Amino acid sequence: MSDLNIAVNVKLEPDFSEGNVSYNADGTLNRAETKSILGPHSAVASNAAFYSKVLYGARVAVTTMGPPIADIALQQAQLLSDADELHLYSDRMFAGADTLATAEVLKTGISKVDGKTDIVFSGHRASDGETGQTGPQTAWKLGFTFLGNVIDYYVDMQSRIVRAKRLISLQGFYDVVEEVEAPLPVFIAIDPSYKASFNTVSQRLAFEKYQKEAKGRAQNYKQYLKVFNAQQLGVDPKLVGLPGSPTIVYKVEKIPKAKASRKAEVVEGSSREQLAKVATKIFEVLGGLVIK
Amino acid sequence: MMESYEVAIIGGGSAGLAALKQLSNLGKQAILIEAGKQVGTKNISGGILYSKKPRNGRVHNVEDVYPEFLQDAPIERKITQYMLHSTSRNKVFTLNLTAAHEYQANFGYSVLLNRLTAWFAKQAGESAEKQGGGIVSGVHVKSLSWPGEKTVIETDELDPFEAKAVIAADGVNSEVAAMTGARTKFTPEQLYQGVKVIVKLPEEIIEERFGVGTDEGAAHLFAGDVTLNHIGGGFAYTNRDTLSVGAVYHYDSLMTRPTEPSTLVNALLKNPMVAEFVKDEVAVKMEINKDLPKEEQLRVRFATSKLIKTWNELRDAWYSPSGRKRLVEAGKFKTEAEIKSRIDYVQNELTSKYSTRFVTDYVELEYGAKLVPDGKRCAMKKPFHKNVLFIGDAAGRGVFIGPRIEGLNVGIDDAVRAANAVARAIDRNNFGPQYMGEYYSQMIEDSPYTRDMREIDKDYLKIFLDAAKDVPKDIIGQRYGMLFRLMSSGTLRGLAVGFANILGYDKLLPLVESEDTYVQVPVELAEKMGRSMTAMYEPTLPTVAQRVARLKYDDDRASHIKVLNPNSEFMKKMVVLCPTNCYSIEGGEVILQHEACIECGTCAKETEWHHPRGEKGIVYQYG
Ligand SMILES: Cc1cc2nc3c(=O)[nH]c(=O)nc-3n(C[C@H](O)[C@H](O)[C@H](O)COP(=O)(O)OP(=O)(O)OC[C@H]3O[C@@H](n4cnc5c(N)ncnc54)[C@H](O)[C@@H]3O)c2cc1C
Ligand code: SF4
């Protein structure tokens, strides 16, 4: 048994990259024609879990709630995190869940993971319309300390304390990095800018070793996969799916783009004359302003 | 406390990895540091990888180091045809040099270094792990020092660590050589500039076009007017489902009359024979009507991209036995015929709904370049410094004689010799220059490749002369005179070669490696004896900017190259000779924009030149 047990909540999301995404004539996403993949924020959370695998030999479980095909998100997350265990919570009963009902399923799932979970990682938010609340709500339901926007962390294995750096954006002002400490267990929502760093040769060698292991495991990911329906999970039907969702999204509207208030003139090309034209324009507009 | 290792290998190209594998095979711990994020992303070759069996002495071949090589490695095709074409305008005269290609060879496979190097890394890495070592990629070594007996290695990314022995396998632009002062930077006279493009071509089209069987391939070399009067030549090699088309020219020849590397490849691609080699059916997107609503424009753009991607994927699979089988076995199609009708359907959709056109052209996937050390002129005499042993391109080693282009196999052979020397030092715990360096140096002296870098091999020459027996003697004779007439005669050849070798390579080379050999003689041959060729289309040649746009980089804001003298003649020539146009002139001074740099080393001689930090810079997909 490992000294550190980690769970990662991930999500299957549409692949928005060109050549893979498809839109309907009205501009909405054509879900049937668009491939789904592990969401980018979930990928970052998986990377964060892998960091603990390399440094502390942590045991990693990846969990997700979704349709049966969401197992590919688990496979991709296993490739990134070298997970020892994969959980898929899949049941028609879960359909229509909002963030709170999702958190209920994820919370219950964590209790099914082998060993007592010390850290849960989740992405910052999903890319296909989610509000970033699932994480905090799951943490609250689990009774874990919640740490959001984490860009770096390490675990003092002796004292079982997590030290983390949080990136806080003071909108309109500047960004600050806050350093916090919390005893295990914790729930960490990882910031998209997180990047693990491995600073010694031996850490890099361990990294290579686990990464190779991850490749092998992900190829046979079904061996690590456990699928739970509502009954197997033992969730309260009142707390999941539509019945457990206090919020309902009844309409999604496109926000009309504001009319540009500036007038722009496009000067094509890079010849001397064209550049001179741009310079003259700038000078006209800025008038007496001196640019240093 | 500083981490300590027995051996550190710097550079994970074909040479460095072979050293790691050999050391691990011998049960020794070694780590290998590679700058690229993934091993194989920085390496580029022509390339044909040979396995040789010299009559005198023995070399260590790729399959000796990696026993699974022939069964398992991602090799492209076994080269069974080797042709040399002399070109002039639309005329081509062909010599069959397959016998020269097979000379003292077990085999020669076409390879793409990205995937092959990754395979080497997997094999070597697994063996090394068992000995407590392994591969550390994405790390750039920036300095070596010797506070005590061990070498302290500093990198841009990791905490410093130490090693008892170091193997420098960091390529032609070796920073280890510069750091240690083991050798000076190579001069243009000692180098070639190699440039190449990867062209996409479906598997069975290659087989039909080149007249080769499954797994077999062809190599075509070019001299004459395609060289644009430079000393060197072009090549086109068949891979499994791509072609490698490129050119290797003497760097000093390029310095004399600078020509853009991209122009040199274009000259080759425009040759009617090569144009016909590379041609394929290509989907061309229609310009999207800008008057349509934004959403509709996006929908059309994405739908076209998606359909073209499908069309390409299905077509590639359709022209490949394994591809067809894979699609049917995966249950995506019931029969192979269904694949074809799906392709036709997609093509029809594209034409009718999205106004996509299908034309004859060629598809370029990757553009790349690198310097190549001419072993004859720059192989290190004593390839070591203290406890650092140099191998492969870093040691300036390679056999390049006429159509004989061998760097990969030479580097692998060096690697085994270096690994053996290091293993012996570990057993005695003696890494001193006398015990390890000198011993390695002697092993390199004993290598048949070293002999090939110094002397003419008369048997190899004979094969040449036999292949050229129908060439009118006046074309050759009037230029090379006495010596060559002597060599054409069986009995006198031994004498002539002996005489030539006494004269020495340095005196002989300027005579043989001349514009006469690479340009005038081939042009005359083609004009007098060549057959006419016509291309059915004109290839659309990308600009340098378009070629660069297709490359993958991990951008580094800090430049890894510093211009020392922006007014020097050398730097002014870089404006033309940099393969990706990183240099330009502003206000009479040469300035560098490093972002598009592909780390070829062409500008290294008069710049402060480093490889980019770990993970940064060019990421070759084919190599
Ligand atoms: C166009 C062209 C055609 C060729 N054709 C052929 C052919 O047909 N047959 C043949 O046998 N040979 C051919 N060659 C030559 C052959 O490709 C080379 O000899 C061979 O690839 C050299 O291998 P190497 O391992 O010595 O160096 P490289 O492959 O250059 O490897 C050096 C490695 O070291 C790494 N590195 C460098 N500095 C550092 C640092 N400071 N820290 C960490 N890592 C570092 C680099 O990232 C790189 O991966 C050709 C070459 C070219 C350019
Ligand atoms: S900047 Fe120098 S090293 Fe980089 S591609 Fe240009 S010539 Fe080559």
mmCIF file of all heavy atoms in Angstrom, chain B residues 222-247:
data_model
loop_
_atom_site.group_PDB
_atom_site.id
_atom_site.type_symbol
_atom_site.label_atom_id
_atom_site.label_comp_id
_atom_site.label_asym_id
_atom_site.label_seq_id
_atom_site.Cartn_x
_atom_site.Cartn_y
_atom_site.Cartn_z
ATOM 1 N N PHE B 222 21.326 12.198 -57.695
ATOM 2 C CA PHE B 222 21.304 13.114 -58.832
ATOM 3 C C PHE B 222 22.522 14.032 -58.831
ATOM 4 O O PHE B 222 22.898 14.567 -57.791
ATOM 5 C CB PHE B 222 20.048 13.989 -58.792
ATOM 6 C CG PHE B 222 18.778 13.177 -58.895
ATOM 7 C CD1 PHE B 222 18.215 12.619 -57.750
ATOM 8 C CD2 PHE B 222 18.189 12.948 -60.122
ATOM 9 C CE1 PHE B 222 17.066 11.852 -57.841
ATOM 10 C CE2 PHE B 222 17.042 12.182 -60.222
ATOM 11 C CZ PHE B 222 16.468 11.629 -59.074
ATOM 12 N N ALA B 223 23.104 14.176 -60.025
ATOM 13 C CA ALA B 223 24.171 15.166 -60.200
ATOM 14 C C ALA B 223 23.874 15.899 -61.502
ATOM 15 O O ALA B 223 22.958 15.517 -62.220
ATOM 16 C CB ALA B 223 25.526 14.477 -60.263
ATOM 17 N N GLY B 224 24.642 16.942 -61.789
ATOM 18 C CA GLY B 224 24.394 17.662 -63.038
ATOM 19 C C GLY B 224 23.767 19.009 -62.778
ATOM 20 O O GLY B 224 24.073 19.649 -61.768
ATOM 21 N N ASP B 225 22.858 19.434 -63.652
ATOM 22 C CA ASP B 225 22.351 20.803 -63.505
ATOM 23 C C ASP B 225 21.423 20.979 -62.309
ATOM 24 O O ASP B 225 21.188 22.100 -61.880
ATOM 25 C CB ASP B 225 21.708 21.307 -64.807
ATOM 26 C CG ASP B 225 20.399 20.604 -65.129
ATOM 27 O OD1 ASP B 225 20.115 19.567 -64.480
ATOM 28 O OD2 ASP B 225 19.685 21.086 -66.032
ATOM 29 N N VAL B 226 20.889 19.872 -61.751
ATOM 30 C CA VAL B 226 20.054 20.022 -60.550
ATOM 31 C C VAL B 226 20.857 20.585 -59.380
ATOM 32 O O VAL B 226 20.285 21.080 -58.408
ATOM 33 C CB VAL B 226 19.415 18.687 -60.081
ATOM 34 C CG1 VAL B 226 18.385 18.204 -61.065
ATOM 35 C CG2 VAL B 226 20.466 17.632 -59.802
ATOM 36 N N THR B 227 22.186 20.525 -59.460
ATOM 37 C CA THR B 227 23.011 21.015 -58.354
ATOM 38 C C THR B 227 23.156 22.537 -58.406
ATOM 39 O O THR B 227 23.742 23.114 -57.489
ATOM 40 C CB THR B 227 24.432 20.422 -58.407
ATOM 41 O OG1 THR B 227 25.069 20.919 -59.592
ATOM 42 C CG2 THR B 227 24.421 18.906 -58.454
ATOM 43 N N LEU B 228 22.637 23.152 -59.465
ATOM 44 C CA LEU B 228 22.825 24.593 -59.668
ATOM 45 C C LEU B 228 24.311 24.957 -59.529
ATOM 46 O O LEU B 228 24.677 25.935 -58.879
ATOM 47 C CB LEU B 228 21.971 25.418 -58.696
ATOM 48 C CG LEU B 228 20.458 25.135 -58.715
ATOM 49 C CD1 LEU B 228 19.721 26.046 -57.735
ATOM 50 C CD2 LEU B 228 19.872 25.319 -60.114
ATOM 51 N N ASN B 229 25.131 24.097 -60.095
ATOM 52 C CA ASN B 229 26.591 24.280 -60.146
ATOM 53 C C ASN B 229 27.302 24.163 -58.806
ATOM 54 O O ASN B 229 28.392 24.696 -58.636
ATOM 55 C CB ASN B 229 26.964 25.621 -60.790
ATOM 56 C CG ASN B 229 26.502 25.669 -62.233
ATOM 57 O OD1 ASN B 229 26.561 24.645 -62.925
ATOM 58 N ND2 ASN B 229 26.019 26.810 -62.665
ATOM 59 N N HIS B 230 26.698 23.490 -57.852
ATOM 60 C CA HIS B 230 27.393 23.272 -56.590
ATOM 61 C C HIS B 230 27.956 21.858 -56.528
ATOM 62 O O HIS B 230 27.499 20.967 -57.223
ATOM 63 C CB HIS B 230 26.458 23.526 -55.417
ATOM 64 C CG HIS B 230 26.187 24.979 -55.232
ATOM 65 N ND1 HIS B 230 27.165 25.859 -54.829
ATOM 66 C CD2 HIS B 230 25.073 25.716 -55.439
ATOM 67 C CE1 HIS B 230 26.656 27.073 -54.782
ATOM 68 N NE2 HIS B 230 25.382 27.022 -55.149
ATOM 69 N N ILE B 231 28.951 21.716 -55.655
ATOM 70 C CA ILE B 231 29.607 20.421 -55.549
ATOM 71 C C ILE B 231 28.843 19.579 -54.542
ATOM 72 O O ILE B 231 28.783 19.897 -53.358
ATOM 73 C CB ILE B 231 31.082 20.600 -55.133
ATOM 74 C CG1 ILE B 231 31.783 21.482 -56.166
ATOM 75 C CG2 ILE B 231 31.765 19.249 -55.006
ATOM 76 C CD1 ILE B 231 33.204 21.832 -55.800
ATOM 77 N N GLY B 232 28.253 18.527 -55.048
ATOM 78 C CA GLY B 232 27.424 17.672 -54.216
ATOM 79 C C GLY B 232 26.315 17.133 -55.079
ATOM 80 O O GLY B 232 26.426 17.123 -56.307
ATOM 81 N N GLY B 233 25.238 16.680 -54.478
ATOM 82 C CA GLY B 233 24.176 16.135 -55.300
ATOM 83 C C GLY B 233 22.874 15.958 -54.553
ATOM 84 O O GLY B 233 22.782 16.241 -53.358
ATOM 85 N N GLY B 234 21.892 15.509 -55.309
ATOM 86 C CA GLY B 234 20.561 15.322 -54.732
ATOM 87 C C GLY B 234 20.248 13.850 -54.514
ATOM 88 O O GLY B 234 20.947 12.977 -55.021
ATOM 89 N N PHE B 235 19.211 13.600 -53.744
ATOM 90 C CA PHE B 235 18.781 12.210 -53.540
ATOM 91 C C PHE B 235 17.269 12.129 -53.411
ATOM 92 O O PHE B 235 16.605 13.109 -53.040
ATOM 93 C CB PHE B 235 19.464 11.603 -52.298
ATOM 94 C CG PHE B 235 19.152 12.323 -51.004
ATOM 95 C CD1 PHE B 235 18.003 12.027 -50.273
ATOM 96 C CD2 PHE B 235 20.009 13.297 -50.498
ATOM 97 C CE1 PHE B 235 17.715 12.677 -49.078
ATOM 98 C CE2 PHE B 235 19.732 13.969 -49.301
ATOM 99 C CZ PHE B 235 18.581 13.658 -48.589
ATOM 100 N N ALA B 236 16.738 10.962 -53.751
ATOM 101 C CA ALA B 236 15.318 10.666 -53.513
ATOM 102 C C ALA B 236 15.255 9.218 -53.057
ATOM 103 O O ALA B 236 15.642 8.315 -53.804
ATOM 104 C CB ALA B 236 14.509 10.874 -54.785
ATOM 105 N N TYR B 237 14.840 9.016 -51.816
ATOM 106 C CA TYR B 237 14.766 7.661 -51.263
ATOM 107 C C TYR B 237 13.304 7.314 -50.971
ATOM 108 O O TYR B 237 12.533 8.165 -50.522
ATOM 109 C CB TYR B 237 15.538 7.559 -49.931
ATOM 110 C CG TYR B 237 17.011 7.908 -50.013
ATOM 111 C CD1 TYR B 237 17.657 8.473 -48.913
ATOM 112 C CD2 TYR B 237 17.764 7.646 -51.162
ATOM 113 C CE1 TYR B 237 19.012 8.795 -48.952
ATOM 114 C CE2 TYR B 237 19.115 7.970 -51.209
ATOM 115 C CZ TYR B 237 19.737 8.543 -50.103
ATOM 116 O OH TYR B 237 21.067 8.857 -50.156
ATOM 117 N N THR B 238 12.962 6.071 -51.176
ATOM 118 C CA THR B 238 11.592 5.654 -50.861
ATOM 119 C C THR B 238 11.516 5.188 -49.418
ATOM 120 O O THR B 238 12.312 4.362 -48.973
ATOM 121 C CB THR B 238 11.158 4.487 -51.753
ATOM 122 O OG1 THR B 238 12.101 3.426 -51.585
ATOM 123 C CG2 THR B 238 11.089 4.879 -53.207
ATOM 124 N N ASN B 239 10.554 5.721 -48.689
ATOM 125 C CA ASN B 239 10.216 5.197 -47.364
ATOM 126 C C ASN B 239 8.925 4.395 -47.528
ATOM 127 O O ASN B 239 8.453 4.206 -48.643
ATOM 128 C CB ASN B 239 10.032 6.342 -46.377
ATOM 129 C CG ASN B 239 11.291 7.200 -46.296
ATOM 130 O OD1 ASN B 239 12.382 6.659 -46.219
ATOM 131 N ND2 ASN B 239 11.133 8.508 -46.357
ATOM 132 N N ARG B 240 8.343 3.940 -46.428
ATOM 133 C CA ARG B 240 7.115 3.147 -46.574
ATOM 134 C C ARG B 240 6.013 3.937 -47.285
ATOM 135 O O ARG B 240 5.558 3.545 -48.335
ATOM 136 C CB ARG B 240 6.617 2.668 -45.193
ATOM 137 C CG ARG B 240 5.279 1.944 -45.241
ATOM 138 C CD ARG B 240 5.157 0.873 -44.205
ATOM 139 N NE ARG B 240 6.237 -0.103 -44.316
ATOM 140 C CZ ARG B 240 6.310 -1.030 -45.268
ATOM 141 N NH1 ARG B 240 5.379 -1.152 -46.163
ATOM 142 N NH2 ARG B 240 7.340 -1.862 -45.300
ATOM 143 N N ASP B 241 5.620 5.067 -46.729
ATOM 144 C CA ASP B 241 4.573 5.854 -47.389
ATOM 145 C C ASP B 241 4.953 7.327 -47.516
ATOM 146 O O ASP B 241 4.104 8.204 -47.476
ATOM 147 C CB ASP B 241 3.224 5.695 -46.674
ATOM 148 C CG ASP B 241 3.327 5.967 -45.193
ATOM 149 O OD1 ASP B 241 4.411 6.424 -44.754
ATOM 150 O OD2 ASP B 241 2.349 5.739 -44.470
ATOM 151 N N THR B 242 6.243 7.552 -47.637
ATOM 152 C CA THR B 242 6.762 8.895 -47.926
ATOM 153 C C THR B 242 8.027 8.739 -48.765
ATOM 154 O O THR B 242 8.564 7.635 -48.883
ATOM 155 C CB THR B 242 7.159 9.655 -46.634
ATOM 156 O OG1 THR B 242 8.089 8.848 -45.901
ATOM 157 C CG2 THR B 242 5.968 9.980 -45.765
ATOM 158 N N LEU B 243 8.474 9.865 -49.318
ATOM 159 C CA LEU B 243 9.782 9.889 -49.973
ATOM 160 C C LEU B 243 10.644 10.903 -49.242
ATOM 161 O O LEU B 243 10.132 11.908 -48.754
ATOM 162 C CB LEU B 243 9.662 10.339 -51.433
ATOM 163 C CG LEU B 243 8.721 9.581 -52.366
ATOM 164 C CD1 LEU B 243 8.761 10.221 -53.749
ATOM 165 C CD2 LEU B 243 9.119 8.117 -52.464
ATOM 166 N N SER B 244 11.937 10.634 -49.166
ATOM 167 C CA SER B 244 12.879 11.634 -48.666
ATOM 168 C C SER B 244 13.582 12.212 -49.878
ATOM 169 O O SER B 244 14.255 11.482 -50.608
ATOM 170 C CB SER B 244 13.912 10.999 -47.740
ATOM 171 O OG SER B 244 13.287 10.541 -46.563
ATOM 172 N N VAL B 245 13.402 13.494 -50.109
ATOM 173 C CA VAL B 245 14.025 14.137 -51.263
ATOM 174 C C VAL B 245 14.906 15.259 -50.738
ATOM 175 O O VAL B 245 14.423 16.124 -49.995
ATOM 176 C CB VAL B 245 12.956 14.730 -52.213
ATOM 177 C CG1 VAL B 245 13.623 15.412 -53.403
ATOM 178 C CG2 VAL B 245 12.000 13.639 -52.688
ATOM 179 N N GLY B 246 16.180 15.223 -51.090
ATOM 180 C CA GLY B 246 17.038 16.264 -50.521
ATOM 181 C C GLY B 246 18.337 16.409 -51.269
ATOM 182 O O GLY B 246 18.545 15.828 -52.330
ATOM 183 N N ALA B 247 19.218 17.216 -50.690
ATOM 184 C CA ALA B 247 20.474 17.512 -51.340
ATOM 185 C C ALA B 247 21.556 17.720 -50.293
ATOM 186 O O ALA B 247 21.276 18.203 -49.203
ATOM 187 C CB ALA B 247 20.327 18.772 -52.177
#
